Amino acid sequence: PPAGGEPLPWDMAFVSLTFQILSAAKAWDWRLFPSAPGMPFSSERLLVPGRPDAVRVSQGREGECYGKLHGRNFHIVEPLGAVVSVAIELSLDVAEELRPRIWYEVHDDIAEASPSFVGRDSTPLRRADVLKALESRGLDALAEWERVICGRCPGWWREWAEEERCAQRGGVAAAEARGGPPPPRGAGPFH
């Protein structure tokens, strides 16, 4: 959480890492990128931890049958501070064609991953992109969103949020009992 004990702004709770894989020797003339054009943060570009086949991967260079590759990137979305390692597997299929696979693993401890790069995209994520990423993992996106957001807030805020949730539920029950309208949606403490 930020200094001062204030709740963490939601747009800092999750971060992304956007990239293509380049050859050390051939640079941009040999790169791995998502096979399907898709939109940024679409399921065709979102890597999923521990799932090598979540995104189809192609190898090539700009111009040859792939057209423009600028912006055709892989995306990783994780809570701020997550430690990940990107895995790349290059194998040949039965037709001797390259079959690359890319995925990532999440680590509990930074020593476990021994990172050689520490960073993230500079642009804050949109909430919709985070929810898409969480859904692509088979998670209840809204529940995971709330878990991460609340987990990064100070204890006093979590207690206040729970009191507000209880009051909100009580307000709904009271409104139903008297036949009046419930409190407006989104009136609680969450975004």
Side-chain angles (χ1 to χ4, degrees):
E6 293 299 315
L8 181 72
W10 75 263
D11 62 349
M12 289 182 57
F14 289 89
V15 294
S16 65
L17 182 63
T18 301
F19 61 95
Q20 293 181 358
I21 303 294
L22 306 179
S23 162
K26 296 181 179 180
W28 293 101
D29 285 337
W30 190 102
R31 59 177 146 178
L32 299 177
F33 52 90
S35 296
M39 295 296 293
F41 296 100
S42 64
S43 60
E44 296 88 7
R45 295 179 177 201
L46 275 168
L47 296 178
V48 177
R51 292 197 22 218
D53 294 317
V55 174
R56 287 188 40 235
V57 179
S58 292
Q59 183 276 318
R61 71 173 185 253
E62 193 157 324
E64 60 177 28
C65 78
Y66 295 108
K68 192 165 178 67
L69 296 176
H70 178 76
R72 201 146 147 195
N73 301 317
F74 299 104
H75 301 285
I76 293 175
V77 176
E78 286 292 330
L80 178 67
V83 177
V84 302
S85 58
V86 175
I88 303 164
E89 177 184 276
L90 300 175
S91 61
L92 299 176
D93 63 16
V94 291
E96 298 291 314
E97 294 288 325
L98 183 65
R99 186 175 184 275
R101 299 187 329 162
I102 298 178
W103 69 99
Y104 73 100
E105 302 292 340
V106 179
H107 302 282
D108 294 328
D109 183 7
I110 196 164
E112 184 182 315
S114 59
S116 58
F117 169 78
V118 175
R120 64 181 177 93
D121 294 345
S122 60
T123 306
L125 278 169
R126 294 177 323 136
R127 183 175 192 254
D129 294 332
V130 172
L131 295 177
K132 276 194 273 185
L134 296 173
E135 287 170 0
S136 73
R137 298 178 199 179
L139 298 172
D140 178 337
L142 290 174
E144 184 66 8
W145 171 273
E146 294 295 339
R147 184 190 70 76
V148 171
I149 296 287
C150 289
R152 293 177 175 271
C153 293
W156 68 263
W157 189 88
R158 288 193 300 272
E159 289 172 16
W160 170 82
E162 184 57 31
E163 289 171 11
E164 288 291 309
R165 261 196 307 275
C166 289
Q168 179 81 8
R169 276 185 247 131
V172 170
E176 288 172 352
R178 72 174 187 275
R185 286 179 56 80
F190 299 107
H191 315 282

